[in-house]
Amino acid sequence: MDDDDLPELEPSAVAPSGPPVRDWRDERPPSPEKMILRSIFLRCPRCGQKGILHGYFKVPPPCPRCGVNFNPDGDAAVGWVIVNLGVTMTVFFVSAFLGLVITWPKVPWTGLTVFTIVLNGIVPFVLVPFSRTVWAAIFLLLHRMDGLMADPGF
């Protein structure tokens, strides 16, 4: 089969890495809840593809099935860092509050402080892959109404 015999693909139907991918324009997009749940389970938020991560701290390549870009911010990495920081701070405040409520009136201030500081040091590293996929889902949801022509990186 020559290159001339191959069907023409729309630019949006080709993943940045080059292989042809499914054209998602005619299909009903998944619900926001489904996209967020897929991303929490480290799947592609658009198509649900498993195994999209190729290393804990490595930026995932675009989804091989639908072409979703997991690094829409480029080298800035602002979005997933904000998701990571938001969840980390939520975990910090909830754990500090629960520690305060549970141990009241004799609060072990030193122990509570050390625990929450250690928690703040560990949680961001644990959340790295989840933050990347959740940010990709949020980014897709934020740009859903822009249409494909204005959809940067997807």
Side-chain angles (χ1 to χ4, degrees):
M1 180 181 251
D2 295 334
D3 287 340
D4 298 334
D5 298 331
L6 294 174
E8 287 293 319
L9 290 173
E10 297 283 329
S12 62
V14 177
S17 60
V21 294
R22 199 161 141 193
D23 189 359
W24 292 86
R25 289 181 291 186
D26 298 330
E27 294 186 24
R28 186 169 173 248
S31 69
E33 297 85 11
K34 192 171 194 174
M35 290 177 78
I36 296 295
L37 275 175
R38 283 176 174 173
S39 64
I40 289 172
F41 288 105
L42 300 178
R43 293 176 172 225
C44 175
R46 182 187 284 161
C47 69
Q49 175 73 30
K50 294 180 186 178
I52 54 176
L53 300 177
H54 299 287
Y56 201 79
F57 293 107
K58 247 178 121 173
V59 177
C63 176
R65 189 166 164 201
C66 69
V68 166
N69 183 3
F70 291 95
N71 195 23
D73 300 330
D75 291 333
V78 174
W80 74 266
V81 171
I82 291 171
V83 169
N84 194 317
L85 183 65
V87 173
T88 300
M89 290 298 104
T90 302
V91 168
F92 167 75
F93 285 118
V94 167
S95 64
F97 180 74
L98 287 176
L100 193 66
V101 168
I102 291 169
T103 60
W104 192 262
K106 294 187 176 217
V107 180
W109 292 107
T110 304
L112 187 60
T113 302
V114 168
F115 175 74
T116 53
I117 288 173
V118 169
L119 200 62
N120 266 355
I122 294 173
V123 170
F125 292 105
V126 171
L127 294 178
V128 167
F130 301 97
S131 301
R132 288 185 188 277
T133 55
V134 169
W135 174 243
I138 292 169
F139 195 84
L140 279 171
L141 290 169
L142 289 173
H143 291 86
R144 182 177 268 185
M145 294 178 60
D146 289 347
L148 279 180
M149 296 308 288
D151 201 1
F154 294 102

